[in-house]
Amino acid sequence: MKKILIVNNNLDMGGIQKSLVNLLKEVHSRYDITLLLFSKSGTLLKDVPEDVNIITPNRCYRMLGLTKAELRKYPFLFCMKFLLMKYTSIFSRRSAMKLLGLFQRKIRGYDTVISYSHLFHHKYFANGSADFVLDKTIGKRKICLVHCDYLNSGTMSKQNNSLYSEFDKIACCSDSVRKRFLDGSRISPDKVFTLRNFYDFDIIKFANEKPYMYEDDSINLLTVARLSHEKGVDKAIDAFHAAGRKDIRYYIVGDGPQRSILENKVSDYHMEERIFFLGEQQNPYRYMLNADYLLVPSLHEAAPMVFDEANILGLPIITTNTTSAQEMVADNDGTVCENFDELENILENLKKRETRKEALRTNETQLKQFFYLENELEI
């Protein structure tokens, strides 16, 4: 049985972490898998299959897996991370990671070592799983997954291109993401593959656990996202206000640094009775089941998990034209907006969804792609 080591910072609730757990559920019985987490923490930790061995590196790496609020509980690590962030801004993330790894022994004995996260900007001290795989592991092959729009996410640089070239293979989360990565990295196409996110069909069960009941006489839009600038929720609120529709209700599941700013915007627009903040939810799928549309107003995205989740539940998508939008909503009867003026027009003419088509899907394609990465299957 092949031995695989997968490296990530944590298992907090997030798209990359969800994708990782979904993959583990599908392939754990076929491989001897070890999961290395910088911080053995996160909501999704409980969903890891029991036969997956979870390990952690030197305790100093924990700083890369904790949120800022969590890190404040560890004054030494908090100060150390602050200093390494300053060091990175002057020199580079790579050199900071080498300093952090001075007392970390190299991990060996695996056929394949996978960084489940991509490289962040070379002047930004964050995540670090790809650097760890390159510097602190020994394996027959090393693979890095890319979950971002490389040309538009602020991660593209000559330094990162050089580091990506050190991996044996790069796996991108959609065909569109692969194309954007090739355009930006100039890495040989025969080293760059597509590995779509694995579906989690348990969400059908979760969606039917106390599903949220919306107002029948309203058109109910739902956004499920971290409330940060790149998610474009502020622009969506502006478009909603400009559309002037009194019969649309907008529900926002998620939390993040922009929440208070967004709440103030809603208050300024006097739309508290039409826009609702539901916070982070352990089970967001119960809100997706009966909504009329999923709204994804992001400024940039790669291949967000929420597209797949909406497709599984038959929830129509209205989205901005980010990297994989056309590719991933084609079978959903979805709508792709070129800009927020177009979103405003769509909202002005939006009608209540009368029917829903549930999309029956399998992970067969994703499994073939993963086995191909492992040199086990020709496709």
Side-chain angles (χ1 to χ4, degrees), residues 260-378:
S260 61
I261 296 172
L262 297 173
E263 288 176 332
N264 289 336
K265 181 184 283 283
V266 169
S267 179
D268 291 342
Y269 282 148
H270 305 291
M271 294 194 299
E272 296 94 331
E273 295 184 359
R274 288 187 284 150
I275 299 180
F276 308 95
F277 293 88
L278 304 177
E280 186 172 303
Q281 295 289 328
Q282 188 80 13
N283 180 8
Y285 312 110
R286 59 186 289 259
Y287 295 93
M288 295 174 71
L289 186 67
N290 293 322
D292 291 302
Y293 300 92
L294 178 76
L295 176 59
V296 183
S298 298
L299 305 182
H300 60 83
E301 288 278 7
M305 293 289 294
V306 74
F307 278 170
D308 289 335
E309 292 164 347
N311 286 337
I312 291 170
L313 297 174
L315 175 60
I317 300 169
I318 301 171
T319 178
T320 45
N321 194 11
T322 53
T323 301
S324 302
Q326 298 284 357
E327 178 184 344
M328 297 184 70
V329 306
D331 298 329
N332 180 274
D333 297 328
T335 303
V336 179
C337 310
E338 291 299 329
N339 52 53
F340 286 96
D341 287 337
E342 187 175 338
L343 174 60
E344 179 186 331
N345 292 333
I346 288 170
L347 293 177
E348 286 176 354
N349 298 288
L350 198 63
K351 296 181 179 179
K352 191 169 181 66
R353 184 74 171 176
E354 297 297 335
T355 61
R356 172 166 305 188
K357 179 182 71 174
E358 289 200 2
L360 298 177
R361 292 174 176 265
T362 72
N363 282 316
E364 182 179 353
T365 297
Q366 292 89 328
L367 284 168
K368 287 181 178 179
Q369 291 171 339
F370 186 79
F371 297 155
Y372 185 56
L373 276 177
E374 281 296 304
N375 295 328
E376 291 187 17
L377 185 68
E378 294 293 332

Side-chain angles (χ1 to χ4, degrees), residues 52-316:
V52 173
N53 182 34
I54 303 177
I55 63 174
T56 55
N58 183 304
R59 285 187 300 173
C60 290
Y61 281 94
R62 194 175 187 186
M63 71 177 73
L64 290 166
L66 296 173
T67 65
K68 189 174 182 180
E70 292 169 337
L71 197 57
R72 289 185 182 278
K73 300 175 184 177
Y74 305 92
F76 174 75
L77 290 181
F78 184 87
C79 293
M80 188 177 178
K81 185 174 183 181
F82 176 80
L83 293 173
L84 286 172
M85 288 172 65
K86 292 295 184 183
Y87 181 90
T88 299
S89 67
I90 299 170
F91 299 100
S92 69
R93 184 200 65 253
R94 180 69 158 174
S95 56
M97 288 296 297
K98 286 184 178 293
L99 284 176
L100 183 60
L102 284 175
F103 301 103
Q104 172 65 45
R105 291 181 179 179
K106 289 197 174 185
I107 298 174
R108 62 186 70 221
Y110 293 92
D111 297 294
T112 302
V113 184
I114 300 173
S115 168
Y116 213 79
S117 295
H118 49 261
L119 292 161
F120 281 62
H121 191 271
H122 69 283
K123 291 289 188 179
Y124 187 45
F125 185 71
N127 193 282
S129 62
D131 300 279
F132 187 93
V133 168
L134 289 176
D135 292 337
K136 293 300 172 183
T137 70
I138 297 174
K140 295 178 182 177
R141 73 178 66 87
K142 295 184 179 182
I143 300 171
C144 185
L145 270 62
V146 174
H147 296 269
C148 67
D149 176 350
Y150 193 50
L151 293 178
N152 200 34
S153 61
T155 63
M156 184 177 68
S157 67
K158 183 168 64 175
Q159 292 87 343
N160 278 352
N161 288 348
S162 177
L163 292 179
Y164 279 123
S165 69
E166 296 181 31
F167 285 93
D168 298 291
K169 296 179 180 180
I170 306 295
C172 300
C173 58
S174 75
D175 291 334
S176 303
V177 169
R178 178 179 182 272
K179 182 180 184 304
R180 300 279 284 180
F181 180 81
L182 287 171
D183 289 345
S185 68
R186 304 298 181 185
I187 289 177
S188 174
D190 61 6
K191 287 183 62 173
V192 184
F193 302 82
T194 297
L195 176 62
R196 285 288 304 269
N197 292 320
F198 282 76
Y199 300 126
D200 179 9
F201 298 102
D202 286 345
I203 72 169
I204 297 172
K205 177 185 70 176
F206 297 144
N208 284 281
E209 291 179 0
K210 298 181 180 178
Y212 190 83
M213 304 306 294
Y214 296 95
E215 299 176 25
D216 288 335
D217 57 351
S218 298
I219 301 172
N220 301 294
L221 272 63
L222 175 69
T223 288
V224 181
R226 184 171 187 268
L227 302 186
S228 51
H229 171 71
E230 71 277 4
K231 298 301 182 181
V233 177
D234 57 334
K235 302 287 188 184
I237 292 172
D238 290 338
F240 184 32
H241 176 257
R245 290 284 294 271
K246 304 294 185 183
D247 59 338
I248 297 179
R249 300 291 180 267
Y250 184 24
Y251 297 82
I252 302 168
V253 170
D255 211 339
Q258 271 212 323
R259 178 164 178 170
S260 61
I261 296 172
L262 297 173
E263 288 176 332
N264 289 336
K265 181 184 283 283
V266 169
S267 179
D268 291 342
Y269 282 148
H270 305 291
M271 294 194 299
E272 296 94 331
E273 295 184 359
R274 288 187 284 150
I275 299 180
F276 308 95
F277 293 88
L278 304 177
E280 186 172 303
Q281 295 289 328
Q282 188 80 13
N283 180 8
Y285 312 110
R286 59 186 289 259
Y287 295 93
M288 295 174 71
L289 186 67
N290 293 322
D292 291 302
Y293 300 92
L294 178 76
L295 176 59
V296 183
S298 298
L299 305 182
H300 60 83
E301 288 278 7
M305 293 289 294
V306 74
F307 278 170
D308 289 335
E309 292 164 347
N311 286 337
I312 291 170
L313 297 174
L315 175 60

